[in-house]
Amino acid sequence: QVQLVESGGGLVQAGSSLTLSCVASGRTSSVYAMGWFRQVPGKEREFVAYIDRIGASTFHAPSVKGRFTISRDYAKNNVYLQMNSLKPEDTAVYYCAANKVIPSVTAHDYDYWGQGTQVAVSS
């Protein structure tokens, strides 16, 4: 099993920056890719970004590309999401996820999930 714990969410004004962190523990050697998703009430979980085991491959959703950056510290089993130029539409609960096989934009492909951290952006 792999446990994921997110932190770093909060309430900020539009245009501000936040950095989300996710710490992985347990059988982290089984994890290949890690990703960030977000969800607002009444909507499906939305892909934000993923990164592979060594950070050689990353992919960001078009809605956040150029503003958000995913990174990974493999030695510390941490993954980060640097969020710049935040917009009110970025308001959501952000989830960290881990995948044992291949980076994916599909939530169903991820094997482990954190509890989520709330990000709220005011206009």
Side-chain angles (χ1 to χ4, degrees), residues 49-67:
Y50 70 57
I51 188 167
D52 70 0
R53 178 185 288 274
I54 60 174
S57 176
T58 63
F59 182 73
H60 298 77
S63 60
V64 306
K65 189 175 182 180
R67 300 188 298 121

Side-chain angles (χ1 to χ4, degrees), residues 32-50:
Y32 182 78
M34 297 189 74
W36 287 97
F37 289 76
R38 64 187 183 186
Q39 189 170 25
V40 298
K43 293 190 176 182
E44 293 187 354
R45 198 161 291 190
E46 176 191 15
F47 169 78
V48 176
Y50 70 57

